[in-house]
Amino acid sequence: MTNWFIETLHPWWNQGLRTEKFLYRGETEHQELVIFENAKFGRVLALDGVIQTTEGDEFIYHEMLTHVPLTAHGNAKHVLIIGGGDGGMAREVLKHPEVQHVTMVEIDRTVVDMSRVYLPSLNDGAFTDQRLEIIITNGANYIAETRHQFDVIIIDSTDPVGPGAVLFSEEFYSTCSRCLTDNGILVTQNGVPYLQSSLITDSWNRLRKSFIDVYFFVAPIPTYQGGFMAFGWACNHKNVRNAELCIIEDRFASSPFKTQYYTPSIHLGSFALPKFILNLLQ
Ligand code: SPD
């Protein structure tokens, strides 16, 4: 008999991935965690029935949410990741030699532990890097209480349901703004605009209350079905986003690491938004 994992994120459109084998299935303190194998995408991690990452296409998401802000900043020494329990975001951030310290605040210890066991290519050594500090707590509480300031804050969240909802709130964005250094950049996962149009409109309105420059950039990630995924960009300086291609190219050339999706041209091009997405910024 063929088994399928049916993702039921959207009320009118389901996505099915064939399950060759289940590696883990259980209720954590916060959510239902499932890890299984699929012949095309490799190992797949889902939370509360929603696909979070797959070995096959995770590189697009993790590269874009790290190399775009870090290369645009140019000298990010202190980076905060909210979420990121699978380790993919930390892996990409730590490719930047200028980064001195990464704080990863993940609410669910079991996601970190099971990703370490069943998805080792996601962190690929990041979990033993001396520059990484993992804190298990609620990201919104952490940011409200911390006295640290960060050059880049990356919100590697789930969709805005359950424990992830607070990470899309006006209050959370305002606290992030206070925790950024002068040229600091906040980036967020903002859903797939074609299917989750209210996410981008809501974040657009909420982020602009706390930041001078707010915009979005996009990338297509196959298992986040429905076309482009949008990533939020928020900064208190306008010129950080508008760095010229030659500057991004020079910075990228001086960092000797490999990518599978990110290039300086993709970096700039990802800010060119299709009209139907621009129409949502109102
Ligand atoms: N619709 C699912 C969006 C999931 C985004 N978060 C993924 C976490 C990967 N590190």
Side-chain angles (χ1 to χ4, degrees), residues 7 9-10 50-53 61-62 84-89 122 156-159 189 191-192 196 223-224 229:
E7 179 187 57
L9 176 60
H10 308 294
V50 179
I51 291 165
Q52 297 300 316
T53 199
Y61 175 86
H62 290 125
D86 54 61
M89 212 58 88
L122 264 288
D156 184 11
S157 68
T158 56
D159 295 288
Q189 95 72 7
V192 172
Q196 298 169 294
T223 53
Y224 303 150
M229 169 169 260

Side-chain angles (χ1 to χ4, degrees), residues 43 51 60 62-63 155 222 228 260:
R43 295 185 174 187
I51 291 165
I60 307 171
H62 290 125
E63 288 183 13
I155 311 302
F228 285 121
Q260 296 182 76

Side-chain angles (χ1 to χ4, degrees), residues 14-89:
N14 291 345
Q15 162 172 234
L17 271 82
R18 202 175 68 207
T19 55
E20 326 301 344
K21 182 169 142 194
F22 277 94
L23 299 160
Y24 182 86
R25 255 194 284 206
E27 286 289 335
T28 74
E29 238 185 285
H30 300 276
Q31 51 212 340
E32 186 204 34
L33 168 64
V34 173
I35 303 175
F36 63 90
E37 264 177 23
N38 170 270
K40 174 64 189 169
F41 289 99
R43 295 185 174 187
V44 179
L45 184 153
L47 293 173
D48 285 340
V50 179
I51 291 165
Q52 297 300 316
T53 199
T54 85
E55 286 178 328
D57 64 358
E58 57 86 10
F59 66 92
I60 307 171
Y61 175 86
H62 290 125
E63 288 183 13
M64 287 303 280
L65 267 177
T66 53
H67 305 320
V68 170
L70 285 159
T71 312
H73 186 284
N75 192 24
K77 294 186 168 66
H78 299 278
V79 176
L80 172 65
I81 301 168
I82 302 280
D86 54 61
M89 212 58 88

Side-chain angles (χ1 to χ4, degrees), residues 185-202:
I185 303 161
L186 167 72
V187 287
T188 64
Q189 95 72 7
N190 251 100
V192 172
Y194 186 78
L195 296 176
Q196 298 169 294
S197 54
S198 62
L199 257 70
I200 191 165
T201 304
D202 288 349

